[in-house]
Amino acid sequence: MSEPKIVDTATLTVGDKTVELPILEGTEGPRVIDVRKLYAETDMFTYDPSYTSTASCDSELTYIDGDVGILRHGGYSIEDLTENSSFLEVCYLLLHKELPNQAELTEFETTITNHTMIHEQLRNLYSGFRRDAHPMALLIGVVGAMSAFYHDSTDINDPQQRLIASHRLIAKMPTIAAWAYKYTVGQPFVYPNNDMSYAENFLHMTFSVPAEEYKPSPAIVRAMDKIFILHADHEQNASTSTVRLAGSSGANPFACIASGIATLWGPAHGGANQAVLEMLAQIGDKKNIPEFLERAKDKDDPFRLMGFGHRVYKNYDPRAGVLKASADEVLEEVGAANDPLLDLAMELERIALEDEYFVERKLFPNVDFYSGIIFKAIGFPTSMFTVLFALARTVGWIAQWKEMIEDPGQRIGRPRQLFTGPTERPYPPIGNR
Ligand code: CMC
């Protein structure tokens, strides 16, 4: 990993003490003030509860410029990758930090294809869940349980084992995710078919039944693959930071990924794609849009416009741009171009983008606004939307975990706090409380 360079120093004066803090520069993006010695020199911490001004690590994987709307993996723009690459090629790029040549890609695809089956004993885990369980609950449980199955890939200090764990996760996630769906709808599990591409195989395991093979059109397979690319990695978001923090203690890699899945589930993060569809159903009709926009602006109302806004993008989310075009293709393909829900979504987007509140706060549609619409058109139930996000993000989580473990300076992550609770007081007997 190339080291960040010290390019300047910042001077901080606290009372009668002055400290010099190095300013570090990466290859692009904002420079950072290195505060690692601050506590030792001043007895003070920095305070940044939701990390809006904190770079938690240095990384070579993914670059985002939220003001301009740029997303790149290894220097390649998301537009270029979705246009010219495949999801497995992007997986290779994230794991190895370079695009593969043809021989490397073929070998990688073969490796992933040969790991698609899951240990038969893992099947039994599904039946421990209620049929009405959310598929994300199943995903967390089954991926967490992988830590008890694949002992030959859990020595985090062995580079080969780290790579095998990464391959296993990427390869088995579609099987685990499809089976989570099958279990909740009461259909038999469909085993992977290694003659199919990654995206096609996932659709096959999700929608085929023994009585009838599901044959997706090439356009649907391509759209699915594109969606996987768009969700593959997104630098230090909440779930990725969770995976890094869990992994920083030296924990089992499969357990770390389960912690990322748990974080992704929330509606402020990956759960937003499900929440968008639920919100559209709640709005119900174009005539109700103004009422819901007013609710979204009202600080006393918990309602927020799902699929709008982003912590980093203060311009159009570039993933949303690619997906908007893809949504048109898919809807045309499945004959849902006149779907009233889509109509409602487009009208909501139009009105929100003209509204002063949204314009002032730079609240644009994000990736989740469009992905839900495409998932619905392909035939996924809303409860599966976040599972699809998790499936694709697995490569980002494991690549970031690998990068962290391979950093020679890596130590356990341990934030501190500003304590605001009671100071020491005597313990009162229970009768005096
Ligand atoms: N609807 C209405 N108001 C909003 C929204 C929204 N969706 N998002 C932000 N705001 C307002 C917020 O109330 C605040 O207003 P004010 O300055 O008057 O207090 C201002 O915009 C800034 O918002 P914030 O909450 O400080 O921003 P944040 O960076 O903490 O939150 C977010 C980012 C994505 C959690 C938030 O925009 C949100 O809840 N959006 C809806 C959920 C969503 O679509 N999430 C998916 C994110 S993209 C996929 C992913 O990365 O997982």
Side-chain angles (χ1 to χ4, degrees):
M1 189 137 90
S2 59
E3 286 298 308
K5 287 194 282 286
I6 299 178
V7 288
D8 206 346
T9 52
T11 308
L12 177 72
T13 305
V14 190
D16 55 3
K17 214 170 195 177
T18 296
V19 284
E20 296 287 322
L21 299 167
I23 296 180
L24 308 180
E25 188 172 74
T27 44
E28 55 185 331
R31 297 184 298 171
V32 303
I33 303 172
D34 180 351
V35 296
R36 281 176 290 182
K37 299 240 161 65
L38 188 71
Y39 178 53
E41 294 188 8
T42 64
D43 254 348
M44 283 190 201
F45 300 137
T46 55
Y47 180 65
D48 187 19
S50 15
Y51 312 122
T52 41
S53 297
T54 296
S56 60
C57 62
D58 47 281
S59 175
E60 296 176 336
L61 296 171
T62 294
Y63 174 70
I64 300 175
D65 183 335
D67 294 326
V68 187
I70 285 175
L71 167 61
R72 293 189 208 120
H73 300 306
Y76 302 104
S77 78
I78 197 64
E79 290 82 4
D80 230 359
L81 290 171
T82 43
E83 187 60 33
N84 301 307
S85 189
S86 68
F87 177 64
L88 285 187
E89 192 176 60
V90 173
C91 289
Y92 185 99
L93 172 65
L94 288 167
L95 290 179
H96 298 277
K97 301 186 175 180
E98 287 299 341
L99 282 171
N101 61 29
Q102 187 56 60
E104 288 165 335
L105 180 62
T106 306
E107 190 191 339
F108 184 70
E109 286 172 342
T110 308
T111 304
I112 298 300
T113 304
N114 284 330
H115 281 90
T116 50
M117 286 182 66
I118 59 175
H119 194 293
E120 197 62 11
Q121 190 67 15
L122 268 172
R123 253 187 94 114
N124 298 337
L125 222 78
Y126 287 82
S127 51
F129 285 83
R130 284 169 53 132
R131 292 276 178 188
D132 62 359
H134 194 289
M136 281 297 277
L138 282 145
L139 207 65
I140 295 168
V142 178
V143 173
M146 286 175 81
S147 53
F149 279 81
Y150 299 106
H151 302 301
D152 59 342
S153 56
T154 56
D155 178 357
I156 62 164
N157 298 314
D158 177 343
Q160 191 54 26
Q161 292 203 26
R162 289 199 294 268
L163 203 57
I164 295 173
S166 311
H167 292 161
R168 282 194 166 128
L169 277 157
I170 296 166
K172 295 182 198 310
M173 205 54 139
T175 314
I176 295 171
W179 287 14
Y181 168 71
K182 287 297 193 197
Y183 184 74
T184 55
V185 292
Q187 290 181 1
F189 295 142
V190 174
Y191 284 87
N193 179 337
N194 291 351
D195 292 334
M196 294 180 179
S197 72
Y198 190 85
E200 187 182 6
N201 194 18
F202 171 63
L203 291 164
H204 155 74
M205 288 187 284
T206 306
F207 295 120
S208 285
V209 286
E212 201 173 324
E213 180 75 5
Y214 169 83
K215 287 212 170 57
S217 70
I220 301 285
V221 173
R222 180 70 198 144
M224 201 72 235
D225 198 68
K226 248 188 207 180
I227 292 177
F228 289 161
I229 296 175
L230 289 170
H231 288 85
D233 191 41
H234 213 228
E235 54 120 300
Q236 309 311 320
N237 56 81
S239 56
T240 303
S241 299
T242 303
V243 170
R244 278 190 179 252
L245 194 56
S248 77
S249 72
N252 181 298
F254 300 104
C256 294
I257 300 304
S259 74
I261 301 172
T263 309
L264 187 76
W265 195 356
H269 194 3
N273 54 15
Q274 171 173 349
V276 168
L277 262 273
E278 288 166 353
M279 174 192 73
L280 291 174
Q282 196 188 356
I283 297 176
D285 193 286
K286 284 191 215 173
K287 71 174 182 341
N288 301 328
I289 291 177
E291 175 199 330
F292 279 90
L293 279 190
E294 285 316 304
R295 286 189 55 192
K297 298 178 205 173
D298 180 357
K299 301 294 171 204
D300 296 325
D301 189 326
F303 179 82
R304 277 193 160 197
L305 216 52
M306 286 293 134
F308 276 77
H310 197 275
R311 170 61 64 80
V312 182
Y313 293 120
K314 301 302 173 196
N315 197 320
Y316 214 82
D317 177 344
R319 303 169 298 173
V322 175
L323 268 191
K324 193 173 178 180
S326 224
D328 290 341
E329 275 171 42
V330 171
L331 293 162
E332 193 66 42
E333 177 73 20
V334 301
N338 299 320
D339 187 326
L341 215 59
L342 176 73
D343 220 28
L344 178 61
M346 295 307 136
E347 185 65 359
L348 178 65
E349 182 196 13
R350 192 186 64 76
I351 298 180
L353 287 178
E354 286 172 0
D355 190 288
E356 202 182 317
Y357 173 97
F358 288 88
V359 173
E360 255 177 22
R361 289 168 181 75
K362 300 186 173 163
L363 299 171
F364 292 94
N366 57 49
V367 68
D368 290 321
F369 189 72
Y370 295 105
S371 62
I373 292 166
I374 300 183
F375 294 154
K376 178 176 180 284
I378 295 178
F380 290 102
T382 45
S383 61
M384 275 297 283
F385 292 3
T386 315
V387 170
L388 298 167
F389 193 155
L391 189 175
R393 182 56 57 84
T394 296
V395 62
W397 290 327
I398 200 71
Q400 298 266 355
W401 169 86
K402 225 168 113 313
E403 182 179 66
M404 179 192 68
I405 300 287
E406 286 162 13
D407 179 352
Q410 188 266 324
R411 297 164 73 196
I412 188 167
R414 176 51 167 100
R416 301 302 301 267
Q417 63 172 7
L418 174 64
F419 182 68
T420 55
T423 53
E424 190 176 15
R425 47 184 172 163
Y427 178 85
I430 197 157
N432 294 357
R433 292 175 211 163

